[in-house]
């Protein structure tokens, strides 16, 4: 099967730290909608377990740490870049400075995007633009995609086309059959006999 490599550009300041350790399964990938008001998935969901430590994927300052719409959320800001983590029970407060890999809270089962499983929804914004947070990871998993929808389907045996019948000869191409030798000989004998009979009759008249 031919495969195409789906790559993501590594953003400046990328880190090798995942927000969950060991490296988690990506349950749901990033799906940016075509328009801001359309549904999509503005982040990635990482499989985890309730109470698992949540780590800062990027260094920065805690600009939000608390409940929002019934689930705990943490935001780390560095310049125009923000990373978000939910649902989390915060272990840090607003204004704290953290380094990549620092424990910022514990994964909560309440508000999980992967119910009945627990998972961490990890988001990334650059200004007001949502980006794929996996672009921050140097050792992110590689995804392979088929080049076409028909890849992986069994090849079909070539169909056998019946041979076309030979072209029928045209009337102009048909050669006349060779004359019958016996018939020609008979005609010559008859003609010679007739000639002799005529000659004999003329001689008798002259006498």
């Amino acid at each position: 099967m031919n495969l195409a490599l789906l790559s993501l550009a590594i953003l400046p300041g990328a880190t090798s730290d995942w927000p969950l350790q060991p490296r988690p399964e990506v349950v749901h990938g990033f799906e940016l909608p075509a328009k801001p008001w359309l549904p999509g998935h503005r982040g990635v969901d990482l499989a985890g377990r309730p109470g698992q430590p949540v780590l800062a994927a990027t260094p920065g300052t805690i600009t939000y740490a608390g409940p929002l719409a019934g689930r705990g959320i943490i935001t780390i800001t560095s310049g125009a870049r923000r990373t978000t983590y939910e649902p989390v029970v915060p272990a840090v407060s607003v204004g704290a400075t953290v380094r990549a890999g620092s424990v910022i809270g514990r994964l909560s089962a309440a508000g999980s995007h992967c119910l009945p499983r627990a998972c961490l929804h990890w988001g990334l914004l650059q200004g007001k633009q949502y980006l794929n947070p996996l672009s921050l990871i140097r050792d992110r998993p590689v995804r392979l995609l088929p080049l076409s929808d028909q890849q992986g389907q069994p090849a079909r045996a070539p169909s056998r086309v019946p041979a076309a019948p030979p072209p029928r000869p045209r009337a102009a191409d048909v050669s006349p059959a060779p004359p019958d030798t016996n018939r020609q000989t008979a005609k010559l004998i008859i003609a010679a006999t007739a000639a002799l009979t005529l000659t004999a009759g003329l001689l008798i008249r002259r006498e």
Side-chain angles (χ1 to χ4, degrees), residues 35-50:
K35 300 292 183 180
W37 58 86
L38 294 177
H41 196 243
R42 298 167 176 84
V44 295
D45 292 335
L46 308 177
R49 65 183 186 279

Side-chain angles (χ1 to χ4, degrees), residues 174-185 187:
V174 177
S175 302
D180 188 359
T181 305
N182 293 333
R183 292 180 62 184
Q184 285 189 349
T185 303
K187 289 181 180 181

Side-chain angles (χ1 to χ4, degrees), residues 8-9 11 29-31 43-44 123-124 130-136 143:
L8 294 171
L11 294 178
F30 178 79
E31 298 174 5
V44 295
L124 170 65
Y130 284 92
L131 302 176
N132 190 338
L134 294 183
S135 60
L136 294 172
R143 294 179 59 194

Side-chain angles (χ1 to χ4, degrees), residues 61-151:
T61 301
I62 304 296
T63 54
Y64 188 88
L68 181 65
R71 58 188 182 274
I73 297 178
I74 296 177
T75 301
I76 299 176
T77 301
S78 178
R81 180 178 300 169
R82 288 173 290 159
T83 52
T84 60
Y85 313 79
E86 60 175 289
V88 179
V89 177
V92 290
S93 57
V94 173
T97 300
V98 295
R99 297 181 298 176
S102 301
V103 175
I104 57 176
R106 300 281 174 173
L107 183 62
S108 172
S112 172
H113 285 201
C114 311
L115 291 175
R117 302 175 64 184
C119 66
L120 175 71
H121 181 78
W122 179 31
L124 170 65
L125 295 96
Q126 185 74 25
K128 295 182 179 181
Q129 178 65 42
Y130 284 92
L131 302 176
N132 190 338
L134 294 183
S135 60
L136 294 172
I137 303 296
R138 292 193 186 97
D139 60 344
R140 62 182 176 271
V142 175
R143 294 179 59 194
L144 297 176
L145 300 177
L147 290 175
S148 67
D149 293 337
Q150 296 181 353
Q151 295 293 339

